[in-house]
Amino acid sequence: MTNTPTAAPVSPAGAADPSRWLRVHHPRASAAARLVCFPHAGGTANAFTALSAALPEDVELLAVQYPGRQDRRGEPCAQDLSELASGVAQALAGYDDRPLFLLGHSMGALVAFETARLLEERGTVARLFVSAARPPAQDWQEPDLSLVGDEELTAGLRRLGGIPEPLLADPEIAAEILRLLRADHRALLRHRCAPDTRVAAPVTVLLASADPKNSLEQMADWARHTVGGHEVAALSGGHFSLLERPGESAPPLTRRIREDLARPAAAASGAAAASAAPDAEPLADLVRELMMEGLAGRTPRLSTDLTALEAAAGEVMAPEAFAYVSGTAGSGATGRANRTAFDRRQLLPRMLRGTRRTDTSVTLFGQRLPAPVLLAPLAAQQVAHPEGESATARAAAATGVPMVVSTFASRTLEEVAGAAGDHPRWFQLYLPSDRAVGESLVRRAEASGYGAIVVTVDATHLGFRPAELDSGYSPFLRGTGIANFTGDPAFRAGLPADADATQAVLRWAQISTDPTLTWEDLAWLRGLTRLPLLVKGVLHPDDARLALEHGADGVVVSTHGGRQLDGGVSSLDALPAVRAAVGPDVPVLMDSGVRTGSDVVKALALGADAVLYGRPYVYGLGLDGQRGVEHVLRCLLTDLGLALALTGCASLADVGPHLLANGDRR
């Protein structure tokens, strides 16, 4: 693309002439891994020079040089992407002495994907990174550039960025750029990929926050093209962020590469331990994994003490965002009571019960879930991490925990559903005063595959929350947490055609909740949908009975995390009376104050069928995005399984009041 000198070709012994295809900018003979980088349409191996320099000494970058450019200008450009993938795969034949990580940018992501498929038989691809690229089976909606004039195409390149202005201003260089771009686009337009085409390697999607060509929703289908797992890593900047901001791009790449390199050693150690103890309990996999990592001198990125995450998140989250997530009502008495209720009760374990294996699964509304845990509906999660609820949904799917998505999410319910894939999820509803908007939200949830509606009834008035008030901070008034409204046709119908963001926020503030709600409104909602309907925010047994009388299928005992009424009863203390009021067959869930696996067992012992798990996962989100949420949930589920085993319970059916010490069963 440019007239800058190319890096030296590389040619390891035994390779089939790789020097035509591969360039090394910064040789690192002692590197533990190699990162093979595939350029965008019109790009060259030089595109990765800065990224190569930014990588640490234990990662060597090999840049792919496509035919038809720079020192390969005398060769014809490739006719299709499979031709490029075949050439690179052959060139990499001599590079199986160290793990290979493939990274493709834009069109290069498709070439990297096809190359990974070809290399699978050799088992040399540790991970595939894809940057600024839609999934391979998706219509990229690219125009035929042979029909686009030079001026229009050059203007488009300027808008997209990535090419320095002096190069575009040079007629000779600009002509060469356009020639290569058109040739590569012809190959791109010919590319076809079936929706069920998959690679074995895990896939990390690198998505820039201001990329005008790609969105998080479009990236979701990358999960369908791998059996090795899928994640999204956020970058700042535009379409060419990977290349223009190497100082920001290198750390997430390096971190993931090093983590993947560590896994084989841990797996080998784990296999040895398993052979020594063939009856080892699967529920302790996380414990063994971390112990093996410790032998190699590595410790977890986040604490496994789930009660310590709040303080850790407070160190990294913006102060006003942390205040919003962690704050409680008034003096905080209800929040403290929620924790005190758990601490006051003690488990009374039984010994020698033969609980080699424990079954944590539970059935709710005809659906079997792997554990009695769902993610509570926490609003505006983008205040904790740029990907917000989308990252949480992917983590929930990866760990098997259903997510309850808030009406006040910072991503639309459709976007979250896309991130969750086929994994179960529920929708939490704040019933708006505009019933047309409420009905529209329910219809959208039905259409997007949500399995239940959880209507919250304890927040028709906003609680007095000093942490938020002292900072003067509301994410909603700043436009975060109202995506389900601004993206709703019924909501938009109530706005002027030329409404701006301020008008949308004001309308949201007017109709988002309804202080005039009565039980008759629940009956109206019951008539609106056939989905299971739960009422969240019940503490009094009479309210639990009224909820059932007006159409609810279940209840959630909740203090709203202590964020509403100061000085109220704790959820755990209210739970036994609610269970007694509704009988043994009605699903009863609870939230507020749950932190550990033992807490879950205590809630089940007092009558809950499952718990909604809240703040800790958002702290994990703030600390490490999707991986942080996954870490929190893996810790919780491991702790839960061990707590069952250590109390002598083989399954949830064995849990009951008898597990609690005398005086703690009320």
Side-chain angles (χ1 to χ4, degrees), residues 123 165 296 379 481 483 498 529 531:
E165 180 58 31
D498 59 348
T529 181
L531 288 176

Side-chain angles (χ1 to χ4, degrees), residues 594-629:
V594 182
R595 293 294 180 269
T596 69
S598 293
D599 290 343
V600 177
V601 174
K602 292 174 184 178
L604 300 181
L606 288 173
D609 293 295
V611 303
L612 300 184
Y613 195 62
R615 287 185 178 95
Y617 83 79
V618 178
Y619 297 142
L621 179 68
L623 288 164
D624 200 17
Q626 176 183 340
R627 286 185 299 173
V629 179

Side-chain angles (χ1 to χ4, degrees), residues 209-270:
S209 58
D211 187 345
K213 295 191 67 174
N214 302 290
S215 68
L216 184 61
E217 184 178 11
Q218 292 165 334
M219 299 300 102
D221 275 353
W222 271 107
R224 302 179 184 275
H225 290 285
T226 173
V227 296
H230 155 269
E231 65 181 5
V232 177
L235 302 177
S236 60
H239 186 72
F240 285 96
S241 176
L242 174 77
L243 308 179
E244 295 176 328
R245 301 168 182 253
E248 294 180 19
S249 303
L253 292 170
T254 303
R255 181 173 63 245
R256 174 46 79 189
I257 289 171
R258 286 174 171 168
E259 289 176 357
D260 286 346
L261 289 175
R263 283 198 178 89
S269 300

Side-chain angles (χ1 to χ4, degrees), residues 61-327:
L61 187 148
L62 304 180
V64 173
Q65 185 76 303
Y66 302 146
R69 62 213 70 204
Q70 292 185 330
D71 57 335
R72 300 188 68 183
R73 196 179 191 285
E75 303 175 43
C77 292
Q79 296 296 305
D80 57 59
L81 302 189
S82 61
E83 178 184 336
L84 296 174
S86 177
V88 178
Q90 292 180 48
L92 289 171
Y95 289 88
D96 54 3
D97 59 326
R98 282 168 256 179
L100 290 177
F101 294 79
L102 307 189
L103 185 157
H105 179 66
S106 196
M107 182 196 80
L110 299 186
V111 185
F113 177 79
E114 296 297 338
T115 303
R117 293 178 62 198
L118 294 174
L119 294 176
E120 281 187 347
E121 292 184 3
R122 299 185 347 223
T124 55
V125 179
R127 179 171 291 272
L128 173 63
F129 295 95
V130 293
S131 165
R134 298 186 192 183
Q138 200 172 101
D139 181 3
W140 280 36
Q141 300 176 334
E142 292 287 339
D144 184 347
L145 297 188
S146 66
L147 304 177
V148 180
D150 288 358
E151 290 187 6
E152 182 181 351
L153 186 52
T154 302
L157 292 175
R158 284 193 171 97
R159 287 193 297 270
L160 200 59
I163 302 176
E165 180 58 31
L167 299 184
L168 290 177
D170 185 306
E172 183 178 346
I173 295 177
E176 177 67 0
I177 291 172
L178 298 185
R179 179 186 74 84
L180 294 174
L181 186 61
R182 287 190 169 102
D184 289 347
H185 264 256
R186 283 194 296 271
L188 174 61
L189 291 174
R190 293 189 183 100
H191 184 66
R192 297 292 182 271
C193 180
D196 59 349
T197 304
R198 294 177 174 86
V199 293
V203 173
T204 294
V205 178
L206 304 173
L207 179 62
S209 58
D211 187 345
K213 295 191 67 174
N214 302 290
S215 68
L216 184 61
E217 184 178 11
Q218 292 165 334
M219 299 300 102
D221 275 353
W222 271 107
R224 302 179 184 275
H225 290 285
T226 173
V227 296
H230 155 269
E231 65 181 5
V232 177
L235 302 177
S236 60
H239 186 72
F240 285 96
S241 176
L242 174 77
L243 308 179
E244 295 176 328
R245 301 168 182 253
E248 294 180 19
S249 303
L253 292 170
T254 303
R255 181 173 63 245
R256 174 46 79 189
I257 289 171
R258 286 174 171 168
E259 289 176 357
D260 286 346
L261 289 175
R263 283 198 178 89
S269 300
S275 65
D279 291 331
E281 176 52 44
L283 61 84
D285 279 350
L286 176 62
V287 175
R288 287 197 301 275
E289 176 185 316
L290 295 178
M291 291 298 103
M292 292 303 109
E293 288 282 296
L295 287 176
R298 293 180 291 269
T299 57
R301 289 172 55 80
L302 304 183
S303 174
T304 58
D305 179 357
L306 300 178
T307 66
L309 296 178
E310 180 174 357
E315 295 294 321
V316 302
M317 291 176 63
E320 65 276 9
F322 179 73
Y324 169 75
V325 173
S326 64

Side-chain angles (χ1 to χ4, degrees), residues 543-562:
D543 283 341
R545 296 187 188 95
L546 286 168
L548 299 183
E549 290 173 10
H550 289 83
D553 300 297
V555 296
V556 182
V557 180
S558 172
T559 68
H560 213 99

Side-chain angles (χ1 to χ4, degrees), residues 302-561:
L302 304 183
S303 174
T304 58
D305 179 357
L306 300 178
T307 66
L309 296 178
E310 180 174 357
E315 295 294 321
V316 302
M317 291 176 63
E320 65 276 9
F322 179 73
Y324 169 75
V325 173
S326 64
T328 56
S331 67
T334 305
R336 292 191 298 274
N338 283 324
R339 280 304 310 154
T340 300
F342 281 103
D343 293 339
R344 190 175 70 245
R345 292 172 169 86
Q346 296 176 315
L347 293 169
L348 187 62
R350 299 294 305 276
M351 300 297 114
L352 302 180
R353 310 287 284 188
T355 52
R356 184 174 64 88
R357 296 185 180 277
T358 57
D359 178 10
T360 61
S361 63
V362 63
T363 299
L364 291 175
F365 304 110
Q367 188 165 43
R368 195 72 170 170
L369 304 179
V373 177
L374 299 88
L375 295 190
L378 272 72
Q381 293 181 25
Q382 195 172 352
V383 304
H385 187 272
E387 289 189 283
E389 291 82 2
S390 295
T392 298
R394 291 193 300 272
T399 52
V401 176
M403 178 182 183
V404 186
V405 180
S406 173
T407 299
F408 297 155
S410 48
R411 295 285 189 273
T412 66
L413 61 92
E414 290 85 2
E415 288 179 293
V416 180
D422 296 332
H423 191 67
R425 64 251 179 199
W426 295 358
F427 182 66
Q428 177 264 349
L429 178 68
Y430 287 103
L431 195 58
S433 59
D434 186 329
R435 290 294 183 267
V437 176
E439 179 173 356
S440 181
L441 288 168
V442 171
R443 298 295 179 226
R444 289 168 57 197
E446 292 173 332
S448 298
Y450 288 81
I453 301 294
V454 182
V455 59
T456 294
V457 297
D458 62 355
T460 54
H461 298 271
L462 188 66
F464 190 81
R465 305 172 187 174
E468 295 175 41
L469 297 173
D470 290 352
S471 64
Y473 177 74
S474 167
F476 311 109
L477 298 184
R478 289 164 170 79
T480 298
I482 66 172
N484 278 321
F485 290 81
T486 56
D488 188 88
F491 179 84
R492 292 198 305 269
L495 289 170
D498 59 348
D500 58 16
T502 299
Q503 288 173 292
V505 169
L506 290 176
R507 173 159 166 74
W508 172 87
Q510 292 171 346
I511 65 102
S512 57
T513 58
D514 186 355
T516 69
L517 285 179
T518 69
W519 290 110
E520 296 304 318
D521 295 294
L522 180 64
W524 171 84
L525 181 60
R526 172 71 286 170
L528 195 63
T529 181
R530 294 183 178 180
L531 288 176
L533 181 63
L534 295 92
V535 173
K536 181 177 182 294
V538 169
L539 293 165
H540 197 290
D542 287 347
D543 283 341
R545 296 187 188 95
L546 286 168
L548 299 183
E549 290 173 10
H550 289 83
D553 300 297
V555 296
V556 182
V557 180
S558 172
T559 68
H560 213 99

